Amino acid sequence: MLWILAALIKFSPIGLSPVASAAPAEVLIIRHAEKPPDDRGDHLSPRGFERATALPKIFTNDKRFCEFGPPEAIYAASPVRRKGSVRSIETVEPLAKHYGQTPIIKFTSAQFKQVAKEILTSEAFNGKSVLIAWTNDEIPKLAKAFGVVKPGGWPKEVFDRVWRIRYKNNSVSEFSNLPQKLLPGDTQD
């Protein structure tokens, strides 16, 4: 009987979305940085590499994103195929290096439920910040897996936002769509 109760505590009534049992203080979700305009290749564009190189600035100095300290872990979507896109990984590599971390790349962008379950149930992230770089098509599903009811969409031309999900008492207490304000031409609101 106790195992049934434990299962109910860890999962929603329909058993699909994890409910935080040891919630992080916040989850920060970014899209991989800019890609080439023709969408060719699996790497970032020059502007994308510029954004990736600048990311440590906001996650170290911008109070909107470092209230709970540096990210305890940095996740990036793994390539779907053997020689698939590595843009999410390239986006977070400078940030991970800045913090002396290695990006966690064991989930593909379609495995949003699995990454959310891992983060929401890990004692290691309790009360900490976790950063995730993902693909725009899957970011809304990823946010829902983290408990956001109506995250909206992530437009394909947008690379300069941060979705911040904060937790209180093991449930979502705030969802914000914030500008990075990192490079010239970035949105300011």
Side-chain angles (χ1 to χ4, degrees):
M1 185 67 106
L2 285 175
W3 68 271
I4 294 172
L5 182 58
L8 290 172
I9 291 170
K10 289 189 176 185
F11 294 92
S12 70
I14 58 172
L16 295 175
S17 304
V19 175
S21 60
E26 68 183 358
V27 173
L28 304 166
I29 302 173
I30 61 173
R31 180 185 182 186
H32 63 71
E34 287 85 345
K35 57 187 179 178
D38 60 6
D39 203 16
R40 288 192 183 182
D42 297 319
H43 298 279
L44 297 174
S45 68
R47 180 161 172 95
F49 280 110
E50 183 182 0
R51 180 173 304 284
T53 302
L55 279 174
K57 195 180 313 178
I58 64 169
F59 293 109
T60 302
N61 300 320
D62 190 325
K63 291 179 184 179
R64 300 172 301 157
F65 307 119
C66 60
E67 181 178 334
F68 300 100
E72 184 68 19
I74 299 170
Y75 284 76
S78 177
V80 175
R81 56 189 194 284
R82 188 168 173 236
K83 291 189 175 187
S85 173
V86 292
R87 294 179 192 129
S88 293
I89 298 166
E90 290 174 339
T91 299
V92 297
E93 281 179 332
L95 184 63
K97 184 177 179 182
H98 177 79
Y99 289 122
Q101 296 184 26
T102 301
I104 300 167
I105 57 169
K106 61 184 178 180
F107 300 104
T108 65
S109 61
Q111 294 177 303
F112 47 86
K113 290 179 185 174
Q114 292 90 330
V115 73
K117 179 181 177 185
E118 178 169 296
I119 292 169
L120 290 174
T121 59
S122 174
E123 288 290 333
F125 305 141
N126 192 23
K128 309 257 171 103
S129 180
V130 177
L131 182 114
I132 304 170
W134 224 244
T135 60
N136 72 302
D137 292 338
E138 303 297 340
I139 288 175
K141 296 173 193 170
L142 179 64
K144 284 182 180 180
F146 277 105
V148 177
V149 178
K150 294 182 181 180
W154 191 295
K156 66 179 183 175
E157 67 280 352
V158 174
F159 299 92
D160 65 344
R161 307 296 292 184
V162 178
W163 281 10
R164 185 178 71 192
I165 305 167
R166 289 199 167 165
Y167 294 88
K168 188 171 187 176
N169 299 324
N170 294 331
S171 62
V172 174
S173 63
E174 174 195 323
F175 171 69
S176 303
N177 180 351
L178 303 166
Q180 290 179 2
K181 300 182 185 179
L182 194 55
L183 299 178
D186 276 6
T187 56
Q188 298 299 307
D189 60 351

